[in-house]
Amino acid sequence: MMAVSLSVFDVSGGNEWLHGALRCVRAALIALAAFGASAMSGGNVYGQGPQQADGLPQRELVIGTKEAPPFAMKDADGNWSGISIDLWREVAQKLGLKYRLGEEPNVQKLIEATSRGDYDVSVAAITITAERERMVDFSQPFYDTGLGIAVSVKSVSVWREIIRTMISAGFLQAAGALIGISLLVGALVWLFERRHNEDFGGPLGRGLGASIWWSAEAMTQASTGHRGPITIAGRALAIVWMVVSIITIAVFTASVTSALTTRQMRGLVNGVEDLSGVRVGTLANSASIGFLDGERIKHRTFSQVADGLKALEAGSIDAFVYDKPLLAWTVEQHFSSTVQILDVDFEPQSYGFAIPLGRAYRKEIDVAVLQAIHDQRWRRILFQYLGERR
């Protein structure tokens, strides 16, 4: 700061005109010093154009969005509405902002355009993720949700489930174990009977084959009784094998029947744990892909939620995974008779406004968002679009 000594202008006497002139000079020097201090302290400005005192640009803002019902929806006349759009209007009103909306086809392009500075703020159903946080800043979260699962309401085909069950790893392992034990019992019967029973005697191939065939007949309770073991060891083994095979096949049959009945009544998918064994679909460039990849769940991607639900309706996929509120809205509007949303949600996530990195006005938007979502009007907005009372 400029330091100026004014003591040299102090006088204790003299003519009145000299006193007046000195007072004018002293006032001019004081004004000059004040101007210099102001210039030095006000030299730092943001390079984003003219700024208000609170960091908000003094111009019309460009706000990015994309269609994501019920958070951002555009009608036939090009007018936007929805949870996020209505919230942004509240924020803009609180901050006295002028703005215009721009549209992108998907969230990924919206994030990329925001990171380049094409938009001052992006407003839609934008999930806050670590990957996106590297590209843009996010406002305070305004809505907490999770992923949901949509499934078809059609009953599961019995024959399809029989085939699916018979080629499953569990079924093949159980059947293989049962066949292996049957072969072992047949071989033991042959060893016990080959020298005492002509039914199992003779050449190796004939005798061993006859023993294995008898073992299979005994296991399935299809034996005619015309041939069988005659030695004490052979008959003891036969009794044990018959009892064990009856119990094993009864349990095996009951398990398969129970599994088929349960799937027929409840459907293929009843929770996250069922996704790994079915055909799964999701929206391209969405946060749900990260979850599915992390869980190593194979999936197909669709460009629109409606396309995925149509595939689910047609039976080409068994489940569709996406943000639960957006999924529920689309099902309610267009697929209520053919698709249902399971009463589960997982992978918690939050929605926020996206802002280019390092913008000074982020703080102002944060404060306005927090004020808006704690207002009674926010509860009315959620109830209007989602029927939620929060």
Side-chain angles (χ1 to χ4, degrees), residues 143-341:
Y143 190 84
D144 296 320
T145 182
L147 298 180
I149 304 174
V151 297
S152 174
V153 300
K154 295 179 182 178
S155 60
V156 180
S157 169
V158 174
W159 287 108
R160 178 185 169 191
E161 285 312 298
I162 290 175
I163 295 173
R164 183 188 291 269
T165 301
M166 292 182 67
I167 63 176
S168 65
F171 181 90
L172 294 176
Q173 289 175 358
L178 202 57
I179 293 172
I181 295 173
S182 178
L183 293 174
L184 177 61
V185 170
L188 291 174
V189 168
W190 175 73
L191 286 174
F192 295 147
E193 300 291 322
R194 61 192 175 116
R195 294 176 181 172
H196 308 283
N197 191 335
E198 62 180 12
D199 290 335
F200 305 114
L204 175 63
R206 176 183 175 276
L208 187 58
S211 299
I212 292 174
W213 181 256
W214 173 87
S215 176
E217 286 183 330
M219 179 182 66
T220 58
Q221 304 174 43
S223 177
T224 60
H226 293 304
R227 64 179 177 181
I230 60 174
T231 64
I232 294 176
R235 288 185 172 181
L237 178 61
I239 292 171
V240 172
W241 174 232
M242 289 177 184
V243 172
V244 170
S245 63
I246 289 173
I247 296 173
T248 302
I249 289 180
V251 172
F252 188 73
T253 304
S255 299
V256 172
T257 304
S258 175
L260 291 174
T261 303
T262 301
R263 287 189 176 186
Q264 182 71 15
M265 294 176 61
R266 297 175 58 199
L268 286 175
V269 183
N270 299 283
V272 183
E273 63 280 0
D274 298 323
L275 293 177
S276 59
V278 299
R279 299 165 299 172
V280 178
T282 191
L283 187 70
N285 299 313
S286 66
S288 52
I289 291 179
F291 167 78
L292 295 174
D293 288 341
E295 296 296 321
R296 298 182 180 178
I297 297 173
K298 295 181 179 179
H299 55 274
R300 289 174 55 189
T301 57
F302 298 86
S303 59
Q304 300 290 335
V305 174
D307 295 337
L309 296 179
K310 288 177 182 177
L312 184 63
E313 198 176 42
S316 58
I317 60 174
D318 302 310
F320 189 83
V321 178
Y322 189 49
D323 296 11
K324 191 171 184 179
L326 280 69
L327 200 56
W329 172 271
T330 307
V331 168
E332 178 65 26
Q333 297 297 314
H334 306 289
F335 300 90
S336 58
S337 62
T338 56
V339 175
Q340 63 180 348
I341 306 296

Side-chain angles (χ1 to χ4, degrees), residues 72-152:
M73 301 177 289
K74 185 170 68 171
D75 62 20
D77 298 326
N79 299 315
W80 287 87
S81 62
I83 297 172
S84 297
I85 300 296
D86 290 0
L87 176 61
W88 170 252
R89 289 194 176 111
E90 289 288 313
V91 170
Q93 183 177 1
K94 289 178 182 295
L95 298 177
L97 301 176
K98 295 181 179 180
Y99 63 91
R100 58 184 174 86
L101 294 175
E103 185 180 359
E104 294 292 337
N106 56 58
V107 172
Q108 186 61 30
K109 290 188 179 299
L110 186 61
I111 292 294
E112 291 172 355
T114 306
S115 69
R116 293 192 304 266
D118 296 348
Y119 300 116
D120 297 294
V121 182
S122 284
V123 176
I126 306 175
T127 303
I128 301 174
T129 66
E131 181 180 355
R132 293 172 181 174
E133 186 72 48
R134 295 186 184 98
M135 301 175 65
V136 297
D137 286 330
F138 281 98
S139 70
Q140 289 289 323
F142 62 83
Y143 190 84
D144 296 320
T145 182
L147 298 180
I149 304 174
V151 297
S152 174

Side-chain angles (χ1 to χ4, degrees), residues 68-71 82-84 87 124-128 138-147 323-329 345 347-353 369-370 372-374 378-379 381-390:
F71 286 82
I83 297 172
S84 297
L87 176 61
I126 306 175
T127 303
I128 301 174
F138 281 98
S139 70
Q140 289 289 323
F142 62 83
Y143 190 84
D144 296 320
T145 182
L147 298 180
D323 296 11
K324 191 171 184 179
L326 280 69
L327 200 56
W329 172 271
D345 56 68
E347 194 68 7
Q349 54 190 18
S350 300
Y351 294 155
F353 295 159
V369 167
L370 288 173
I373 63 176
H374 288 90
W378 175 243
R379 296 181 178 87
I381 290 174
L382 293 179
F383 183 75
Q384 174 187 347
Y385 290 102
L386 297 175
E388 294 184 9
R389 295 184 181 276
R390 290 197 176 189

